[in-house]
C-alpha cells in the first residue's frame, strides 16, 4: 500500500541565471536548462529581458505551442500570414504553431525593457500538424480567483478556486499567476497525474507540508506522488510566482531547435518542408517581417 500525501512536495530547486539568447536578448531559462530537461509536457520556460536593441527576429516553429505572458513593457509580433499585434503588461498570447509558423517577436522600440515569460508546451502526436491558432487575451480578459484577502490568482489556463479559463489547451495544462501577501496559506488543487512546478518571480514562498523555501528566479518541481493539492505559505514577505502543471504526453521527443516532433524522420521532413516552403510553410517563401528591422 502506498500512502498518498495531502500536498505535493518539492523534489528540486534550481536557480536560473541570465544567459544570452536570440539577438541580443537575455533569458533566465527554467525548464529546458540541463538540470530541468524533459519536464513532459513542457519543453522550455524562459524569463526574458529584452531592451530596444534585442529580440527574436524571423524564426520558424513546428510541433508545439508557445505561450508568451508579459510582465513589463510592450512586445510586438508579426507572422508570415500577416497576423500582427502588440502585447503589454499582464497580456497573454497562446500560440499553437502546429504544422508551421514563421514569425518575429520584438520589443516595441520606444520601450526601455520588455520583460515576460515564454513557455513551450509540447503537442500530442495527433495535434503536431494542426492548423496554427492564436488565443490572445488582454490582462483585463483573464479571470481572477480571490480565495481570500491578499491572495489573487490569475487563471491563464485551467482552474483555481472555482474560476475557469476559456483558453483551449490541446495538451491539458494549468497556468496560474499567484500574488500572495505575507502571512497567508493557500491550497491549490492539481489533477493527480499532472507534473508541475512553480517559477518564482518575486519574494519568498514556502511550498508543501515541509515548507520548502522558494526565492526569485528559482524553479521548484513538484513530487509525482498522486497528491491532489499543493500547499503554499508566505511568511514575512509577499510572493509572486507562476504555477504551471500539465498532463505528461509520454511520447518520444525529437527536438531540433524550434521544431519538435516524435521521430527523426519527422524532423527530416520538417527541414525539407521549411526549406521548400511546403506542408505548412508555403507562406514562408520570400517573407520578411517588417518589425525585426
Ligand atoms: C528559438 C533560440 C531562441 N526564448 N523567449 C532558438 F531564442 C528562440 C526563441 C526564444 C524566445 C522568444 C521569446 Cl519572445 C521569448 C524566448 C527563446 O524564439 F525559438 C530558438 N529555436
Ligand atoms: Fe517564436
Amino acid at each position: 500500500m502506498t500512502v498518498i500525501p495531502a500536498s505535493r512536495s518539492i523534489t528540486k530547486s534550481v536557480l536560473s541565471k541570465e544567459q544570452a539568447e536570440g539577438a541580443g536578448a537575455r533569458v533566465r531559462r527554467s525548464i529546458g536548462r540541463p538540470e530541468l530537461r524533459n519536464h513532459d509536457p513542457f519543453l522550455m520556460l524562459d524569463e526574458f529581458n529584452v531592451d530596444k536593441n534585442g529580440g527574436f527576429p524571423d524564426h520558424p516553429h513546428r510541433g508545439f505551442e508557445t505561450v508568451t505572458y508579459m510582465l513589463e513593457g510592450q512586445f510586438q509580433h508579426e507572422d508570415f500570414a500577416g497576423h500582427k499585434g502588440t502585447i503589454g503588461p499582464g497580456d497573454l498570447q497562446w500560440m499553437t504553431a502546429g504544422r508551421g509558423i514563421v514569425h518575429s517577436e520584438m520589443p516595441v522600440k520606444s520601450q526601455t525593457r520588455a520583460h515576460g515569460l515564454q513557455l513551450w508546451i509540447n503537442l500530442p502526436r495527433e495535434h503536431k500538424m494542426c492548423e496554427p491558432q492564436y488565443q490572445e487575451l488582454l490582462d483585463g480578459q483573464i479571470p481572477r480567483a480571490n480565495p481570500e484577502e491578499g491572495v489573487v490568482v490569475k487563471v491563464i489556463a485551467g482552474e483555481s478556486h472555482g474560476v475557469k479559463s476559456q483558453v483551449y489547451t490541446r495538451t491539458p495544462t494549468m497556468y496560474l499567476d499567484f500574488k500572495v501577501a505575507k502571512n497567508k496559506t493557500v491550497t491549490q488543487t492539481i489533477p493527480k497525474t499532472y507534473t508541475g512546478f512553480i517559477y518564482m518571480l518575486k519574494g519568498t514562498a514556502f511550498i508543501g507540508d515541509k515548507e520548502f523555501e522558494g526565492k526569485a528566479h528559482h524553479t521548484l518541481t513538484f513530487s509525482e506522488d498522486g497528491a491532489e493539492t499543493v500547499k503554499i505559505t508566505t511568511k514575512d514577505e509577499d510572493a509572486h510566482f507562476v504555477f504551471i502543471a500539465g498532463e505528461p504526453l509520454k511520447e518520444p521527443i525529437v527536438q531540433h531547435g524550434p521544431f519538435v516532433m516524435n521521430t527523426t524522420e519527422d524532423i527530416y521532413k520538417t527541414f525539407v518542408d521549411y526549406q521548400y516552403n511546403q506542408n505548412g510553410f508555403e507562406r514562408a517563401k520570400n517573407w520578411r517581417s517588417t518589425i525585426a528591422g
Side-chain angles (χ1 to χ4, degrees), residues 5-260:
S7 168
R8 301 281 185 107
S9 53
I10 297 304
T11 52
K12 234 188 234 184
S13 166
V14 181
L15 171 65
S16 297
K17 288 189 187 148
E18 268 200 339
Q19 61 189 73
E21 191 49 287
R26 308 283 298 167
V27 305
R28 290 180 189 269
R29 182 149 299 158
S30 157
I31 302 303
R33 61 184 304 106
E35 309 94 304
L36 294 170
R37 286 254 162 82
N38 306 321
H39 208 79
D40 187 17
F42 305 108
L43 300 162
M44 190 196 83
L45 176 68
D46 276 358
E47 179 184 359
F48 60 86
N49 265 301
V50 187
D51 67 19
K52 62 181 186 315
N53 302 310
F56 302 91
D58 308 12
H59 62 277
H61 293 285
R62 175 184 274 181
F64 62 102
E65 304 186 292
T66 70
V67 180
T68 309
Y69 181 47
M70 288 307 292
L71 296 166
E72 296 167 86
Q74 310 263 330
F75 224 52
Q76 285 176 283
H77 61 89
E78 180 185 356
D79 81 3
F80 66 173
H83 185 98
K84 206 173 164 175
T86 302
I87 54 173
D91 300 345
L92 180 83
Q93 183 196 62
W94 194 292
M95 184 189 90
T96 306
R99 61 210 301 258
I101 282 280
V102 181
H103 72 168
S104 183
E105 299 159 285
M106 304 296 289
V108 172
K109 294 291 175 213
S110 58
Q111 293 284 319
T112 49
R113 157 175 128 121
H115 175 212
L117 296 171
Q118 187 170 91
L119 176 69
W120 289 9
I121 308 174
N122 202 4
L123 281 168
R125 184 180 275 111
E126 68 269 24
H127 288 297
K128 282 197 179 287
M129 294 297 280
C130 70
E131 278 303 309
Q133 186 198 359
Y134 289 93
Q135 299 178 79
E136 283 164 322
L137 292 175
L138 299 177
D139 184 43
Q141 298 169 316
I142 302 174
R144 267 83 165 166
N146 186 197
E148 64 172 296
E149 204 192 308
V151 181
V152 179
V153 189
K154 266 178 81 177
V155 187
I156 294 167
E159 182 174 352
S160 180
H161 296 87
V163 176
K164 281 190 183 132
S165 160
Q166 294 306 310
V167 168
Y168 169 47
T169 61
R170 288 163 177 80
T171 301
T173 307
M174 51 199 290
Y175 191 150
L176 309 170
D177 169 328
F178 275 83
K179 282 190 175 149
V180 185
K182 57 185 161 195
N183 298 315
K184 298 281 172 191
T185 293
V186 54
T187 299
Q188 175 60 46
T189 61
I190 175 173
K192 52 176 168 283
T193 55
Y194 277 25
T195 61
F197 61 93
I198 278 172
Y199 182 75
M200 293 295 303
L201 291 166
K202 239 187 206 164
T204 309
F206 298 85
I207 304 150
D209 290 323
K210 289 186 194 134
E211 302 198 334
F212 197 106
E213 186 182 74
K215 285 188 165 293
H217 314 300
H218 283 74
T219 303
L220 300 115
T221 60
F222 300 157
S223 57
E224 289 163 26
D225 50 20
E228 290 178 276
T229 65
V230 182
K231 191 180 123 188
I232 301 147
T233 301
T234 51
K235 295 184 180 175
D236 52 12
E237 234 186 316
D238 298 356
H240 184 199
F241 55 88
V242 290
F243 178 118
I244 295 172
E247 184 76 54
L249 301 177
K250 299 186 170 130
E251 290 179 14
I253 299 169
V254 183
Q255 175 165 8
H256 190 98
F259 305 131
V260 184

